[in-house]
Every structure is written in structure tokens, then in C-alpha cells.
Amino acid sequence: MLQSIRDRAQGWLAWIIVGLIIIPFALWGVQEYVGVGAGVNVATVNGVDITQQRFQRVYDQQRQRLRALLGGDFNSQDETRIKQTVLDNLIRDEVIRQTAEALKLRVSNAQLAQEVGAIPQFQENGRFSPQLFQQALRAQGLSPEGLESQLRQGLITEQLNTGVTVTSIITPAELDQAIRIKNQQRDIGYLVLPWANFKEGVNPDEGAVQKYYDQNREQLASPEQVSIEYIELSAQALASQIIPDEQELNKFYEEHAATYATPEQRRASHILISVDKAADEAAVTAAKAKAQEIHQRLIKGEDFTKVAKEVSQDPASAPQGGDLGFFGKGVMDKAFEDRVFSLKAGELSEPVRSAFGFHIIKLTEIKPAVTKTLAEVRPDLVKELQQRKAQQMFFEKTEPLTNLSFENPDTLAVASKELGLPIQSSALFDRKGGEGITFNPKVVTAAFSEDILKRGFNSEPIEIGDNRLVVLRVKEHKPAAQRSLDEVRQTIVEQLRTEMAQAKARAAGEAFMERLKKGEDPAAIAKEYRVEWVKSGLIGRDETKINPQIVRAAFRLNKPAKDALPAVGGEPLESGDYAVLAVYAVREGDPAGMESAARTALKRELQRNLAQSEYDLLVAEAKNEAKIVTHPDKL
């Protein structure tokens, strides 16, 4: 099959290839297939190693995602937690893989073909595009070798998940109970006590201010900061300085003319009668006879598209009337291809035997070979020459950059002059990073390292992107400084005033609740606090006109007792305000009154939740039984 992948990157078999490549990419990520291998191990699961190289790649990706998401809020001190999370996930993935293998789960070729049918990726105008598929392989640096087994394993892992999830059952009684709870309505009343209403006259004494200062010195200190100066070697920047001349462009065009040529392509439809390569003579004879019978039907004038939809055994092309789209030479089964390129447009072939069975082929269209002119491809030629020359210059300058910055450790001026790279500077930034290149965690780590910060050395060249290096040194260093009490006094006073006002609002709310429990009129009490008691009437869990924290709190309260007094509760809000609420009555959801479509949707949701819980339990048990050895010192 691997040879078939190489030989037939287009046509109906390409649908199978696409399915093979898409599904595991979604499960594990494309990069998990590139470069995984040798090196120190960070963990072993039942004797199977998880390499440091694989761990580091996933960790770097996760760290970059978090930095992009959190920006200045990213705390590099959380790296230990991030590393542990990445390691746990890699161990879990390996446990799942081994569990699927132990259960002897398998995926047949037919199953692989069925998975492909609904995949939209690598399609153009609703049809499979060999060009898009091949571009994706090149972009990820993938080759067919080893791909089949890896991708098949991805489907097997998915099969394990599906095998657990599809067997989860929600009984009618369980569904009815869920409807009663989900569609339950509650008649509530509530008020909100704003903390700002309690701030007047609240002033912390000097002792409280001093205590807060003493207990929060680290948070109140100004953080350690540095600014850097650096020189950057970038292939992209070098490319912008290169202007190829006409002689170079003409020569490059002549040398690569074939690159700009589109060979003849043909569009064909086929009807496939499948037969295995290893089939016995009787099976081959029967398949051939069936193909000949279909061929006769077509000769007599039956519509090819209609017959293909009716009898073709190619699951990918049959729904399209057998249409395979355009393809060139060298990508299809040789016997199939030879016959296609011997036909005239509109001509029908006799049954042709290939590795997949017997084909009846109809050639529907021919695209002649075309070569683009120099004028048409000039922008591409310029860009290509710029990139090639820039990449060569980049590598030629890399070693001198390394040597000059090392041989002159206390200045960047020498490397800058020799290589023609300007010295640039950054603003001050702390260990959370800054803007521009100081957002890059590698740059931040280097800037605060012992050699660069304390000893004043140049850094080694730091890779901050494809063909992009920087060498940096510290320009200015501002140590972390404890700010005096007078400098932060106002900040502390405002913080303490807020906390004290919020505490008073909560105390008032708790006193309010006690009066409600004794049967006092909430509206009358609310007036004492200059707020309003709101009677909402019946609300559901999805009520949007009321603060969602209040809604959730209302549905957490017990049902009101039979003494006619409401159930009462309080809820501190994220704003710092305090809410008091009461539940007067509860109306259960009505299973009989729920529409069939909504009932079905809820049942599916409950099944998904149950299935996920059962799957997580299966994985947890497998992980508990596995022999797992970790090496935290290698993270």
C-alpha cells in the first residue's frame, strides 16, 4: 500500500490517503509525527519510552500558546505546572494507545475508505485536489514511509473512544428525571447590596495599613527590569535588500522552465468492480464478467453517470457518477493510466484490470500542457531568487555572528560593523516579557540569565524564528526595589477601604437574611438599605435578564419548606457586591410537554456526557494499572 501511496497521489485512492492523514492529525497534531525519536526519556509507560525531544516540542508549543493568550499576565514561574500538565497528557495518550492495542482493535481498508467520504479538507470546488494534498505533505515535511501504520493507529485510537461512547445508554426514566431538573423553574426574589454604598466613612487605621504593607511587600515592590541591545540576523530582512538583474532572471527561468509548465491533464470517470489482487481465478472471472455486462449496457446507450451511481464499487467516486476529476501522468495505477491516456475525449474503454479490480473508463475532458512565460512568472522568480540568495547569505553570516559575538563578549559593535547589522534597543521589561522580540520567552530567559545579566556577556545566537537569530546583551538593569510605605500608602488605603466596604455589605446581607427567615417583608427591609427587592416570578436556568451568579445561586438553594416561608440564601458577586435571594416556589419540568426534537437533543447530550465520563474512567483505570516511570529531572 505504501508503494500505491507514492504511485497514486491523485484519483480515487487519494481519497483514502486524505482520510488516513486527516483523522490522526485531528487526534494528535501533525507535529507528533515529525522528528519523534531519539534522546533522553522523560517517562516510560509499560516499557514504551516518551522521549525528551517529543516532550520538549509539545511543551514549547503549549508555552507559546499560553504566552500568546495571556500576554503580560503569563507567569514564567508557572512553567513547572505547565511541564507537568504536558507530561501527564503525553502519558495519557500512550496509555490510550496501548489500551486500544491490547483490545486488538483493527481498521480494515474498507473502513478507511468509508471514513474518507465526508472529509472536506483537500477539496477544491467540492472535489479532491491532489495539489492541495501534496502541498500539505510538503509543508509538514512528511513522506509516505511509515505513514500507513501511524495513521491507522490514529483511527484505532478513535475506535476505542467510539467503542465506549456509543454503548452509553440513558433510560427513559433517567431522561424524564433530567428533564424535570433541567427545565425546572423557580419563583425568586432578590436584591443586590453594592459595596460602594458601604464605603463612606470607612478608613483603615495606620496599624492595618502597616500590617498590609508588611504582609505584601513582594507584591508591592517594583519588579526587576532590564532593557537590551541586540543585533538581528534575518533571512527575510536580507531578502528585502536583494534585487536580481535581468540576466539572473532569464537564466533561472531557463533552468527551471519545467517548474512553470503544467503537463497535460485528463478528466475521467470510471465504474469500478472491485476484486482483490490475491483473489482466486473464479472471483476474477466473475468480476470481469460483471464489468463486461456493464460495458454492454453503456454501449447500448445507458447514461454513464446513472450507471456509475448504481453499480460502481468505488465509495468515493460513485456518488459523483464516477467522476475522478483531472489528473496527470505518473499518479494512477499504470494500467488504468495507460488506458486513460490512449482514449479520445468522450471515448469509452473496455474493462481494464488494475490492482483494485476492473474499471470501465470514460474520458470526459483533456487539458493540454501549458508553460507560463517569463513575464507571467517574473514576480515569483524575483521572490524565489531573493529567498535563495538571502538564505545563502544567512548561513554565511551565522558562523561569523557566533564567533564575533563570542570573541568580543562585552560589545556588539564589532559584529555589527563586520556583518552590516544595526544595533537595536528595547524598552525595559520584566520577567513576564515585553513587546517585540522581548515577548519571546527565549529572549526573556537569556536576558535574565547569569552570564548576561550578572557578568555582562553577549548571548549566544538565539533562534527566534525560521532563519532568524538575535544576539543580545543587557543595556540597562533595574533591580527589584522595595517601595516605601509612603510610596504605596494610597494604593493600600484604597485596597483596604474596598475590602472593608465589601465585608460590611456581606454583613448587612447576612443580617437581611436573618430577618427574612423570621418572616419580615423583604421590600420594606430593602428600603432601609436604599435598594430594591426584585420579584422576578418564575425563571429557568437559562434566564439572561438576571445576573447569572444570582440565577445559579437560586437553583442551588433547597426547595422552600411547607411553612410558607421562602428558602433564603446569599451570594458574594464577582463585582464585590453582595446578593440576597429567596426562593418562594419550585415548578418541575414536564417530560410529557417537551417537544420530540428537544427531547432527542437532550438525550444525546446526556449520552455524550455519560460516554465521556465512562471513557475517562476507562482511561483512568488503565493508567492506574500501567507501570509508569517518570523522570522529572529530565523535564
Side-chain angles (χ1 to χ4, degrees), residues 5 26 31 126 198 247 270 296 314 402 526:
I5 292 175
Q31 295 303 322
F198 297 86
Q247 184 177 354
H270 80 138
Q296 289 301 311
D314 178 2
T402 302

Side-chain angles (χ1 to χ4, degrees), residues 59 63 66-67 70-85 218-219 223-224 430-433 441 444-445 448 480:
Y59 167 71
R63 193 173 187 276
L66 287 173
R67 280 192 65 88
L70 300 176
D73 292 330
F74 177 78
N75 190 344
S76 59
Q77 295 178 351
D78 290 337
E79 291 185 2
T80 300
R81 178 179 54 80
I82 299 171
K83 288 181 177 181
Q84 188 60 50
T85 299
E218 187 174 332
Q219 290 88 330
E224 180 182 25
D430 59 26
R431 292 179 184 269
K432 292 181 179 180
V444 176
T445 299
F448 284 93

Side-chain angles (χ1 to χ4, degrees), residues 72 74-77 216-227 428-434 448 453 476-483 487-488:
F74 177 78
N75 190 344
S76 59
Q77 295 178 351
N216 297 275
R217 286 176 177 270
E218 187 174 332
Q219 290 88 330
L220 294 169
S222 59
E224 180 182 25
Q225 292 181 305
V226 297
S227 66
L428 286 164
F429 61 94
D430 59 26
R431 292 179 184 269
K432 292 181 179 180
F448 284 93
L453 181 61
E476 181 183 358
H477 176 219
K478 293 182 69 174
Q482 181 62 53
R483 291 185 285 181
E487 290 178 289
V488 296

Side-chain angles (χ1 to χ4, degrees), residues 134 228 371 447 476 541-542:
Q134 292 169 352
I228 60 171
T371 300
E476 181 183 358
R541 297 176 186 272
D542 57 355

